[in-house]
């Protein structure tokens, strides 16, 4: 039965459905126990309200706008992380200069930043900033590690054959860093 539950398609579906049902039951019991509809509404109340909202134009406009902001934050975080990881891997002074800032971003819970950001940043930019904070440290750390761990013979050969920067990026750095980048993403 263990094989059937976890390896076959119907078994995986049944396992997923039981898991969802269990968590919905926990949610329902917690909502009943708290009896604070504003803080923790029951699942059926949420589903009913969502059904009412889904058919409105504003719901889809706000959802799309929020999704675009989050995607903007992710793209910004990845882009800046790629740039900063390349700079910190190539130039030790840049790494020394930026390491305190990166350490603070990596070690501080995002929830702490959210509270401060809500005071300082406009509501339109807040999702972009929060998404950036979630993405940047992970992508930077992986790419920085990848670029720092490229074996010295690759660097030596690129200098001996005087490979232009574009070719070094395409032939050495990008292929070596790609698994780290995909892992971060």
């Amino acid at each position: 039965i263990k094989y059937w539950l976890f390896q076959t398609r119907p078994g995986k579906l049944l396992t997923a459905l039981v898991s969802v049902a269990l968590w919905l039951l926990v949610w329902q019991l917690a909502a009943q126990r708290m009896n604070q509809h504003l803080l923790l509404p029951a699942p059926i109340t949420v589903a009913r309200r969502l059904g009412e909202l889904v058919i409105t134009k504003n719901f889809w406009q706000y959802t799309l706008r929020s999704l675009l902001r989050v995607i903007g934050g992710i793209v910004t975080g990845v882009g800046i992380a790629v740039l900063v990881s390349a700079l910190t891997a190539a130039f030790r002074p840049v790494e020394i200069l930026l390491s305190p800032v990166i350490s603070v971003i990596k070690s501080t819970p995002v929830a702490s930043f959210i509270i401060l950001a809500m005071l300082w940043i406009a509501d339109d930019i807040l999702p972009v900033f929060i998404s950036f904070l979630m993405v940047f440290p992970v992508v930077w750390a992986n790419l920085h590690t990848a670029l720092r761990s490229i074996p010295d013979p690759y660097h030596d050969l690129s200098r001996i054959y005087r490979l232009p920067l574009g070719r070094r990026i395409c032939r050495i750095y990008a292929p070596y860093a790609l698994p780290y980048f995909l892992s971060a993403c």
Side-chain angles (χ1 to χ4, degrees):
I1 191 155
K2 183 178 177 183
Y3 171 80
W4 186 84
L5 277 176
F6 298 111
Q7 300 300 324
T8 65
R9 183 169 285 171
K12 288 179 182 179
L13 179 62
L14 179 64
T15 303
L17 289 175
V18 168
S19 176
V20 168
L22 174 71
W23 286 110
L24 284 173
L25 177 65
V26 168
W27 180 5
Q28 176 65 37
L29 293 173
Q32 286 176 343
R33 177 89 166 100
M34 281 185 66
N35 199 21
Q36 297 287 329
H37 302 292
L38 187 61
L39 295 177
L40 185 62
I44 193 72
T45 306
V46 172
R48 190 177 305 122
R49 184 64 182 137
L50 182 61
E52 294 168 3
L53 290 173
V54 163
I55 59 174
T56 66
K57 181 181 171 184
N58 284 344
F59 173 82
W60 293 107
Q61 287 175 339
Y62 289 130
T63 301
L64 181 61
R65 202 174 303 143
S66 294
L67 184 62
L68 290 174
R69 288 178 186 147
V70 169
I71 290 171
I74 291 170
V75 169
T76 303
V78 168
I80 292 175
V82 168
L83 178 66
V84 171
S85 64
L87 289 172
T88 57
F91 306 107
R92 183 76 176 138
V94 176
E95 182 180 1
I96 292 168
L97 178 70
L98 295 179
S99 65
V101 175
I102 293 171
S103 294
V104 167
I105 293 173
K106 285 171 51 177
S107 63
T108 306
V110 175
S112 303
F113 282 120
I114 291 172
I115 294 168
L116 292 173
M118 288 173 72
L119 299 172
W120 297 337
I121 297 176
D123 291 342
D124 290 351
I125 301 171
L126 192 60
V128 175
F129 179 69
I130 293 167
S131 301
F132 171 84
L133 286 178
M134 296 292 291
V135 170
F136 174 80
V138 176
V139 175
W140 175 83
N142 277 22
L143 285 179
H144 182 75
T145 301
L147 295 174
R148 282 286 183 171
S149 62
I150 293 175
D152 287 336
Y154 288 111
H155 295 292
D156 297 340
L157 285 173
S158 69
R159 275 191 295 272
I160 290 170
Y161 289 108
R162 295 186 180 143
L163 288 177
L165 179 62
R167 237 190 211 162
R168 276 185 284 167
I169 290 171
C170 291
R171 300 286 172 115
I172 298 172
Y173 304 137
Y176 200 82
L178 186 62
Y180 292 83
F181 177 75
L182 293 176
S183 174
C185 288

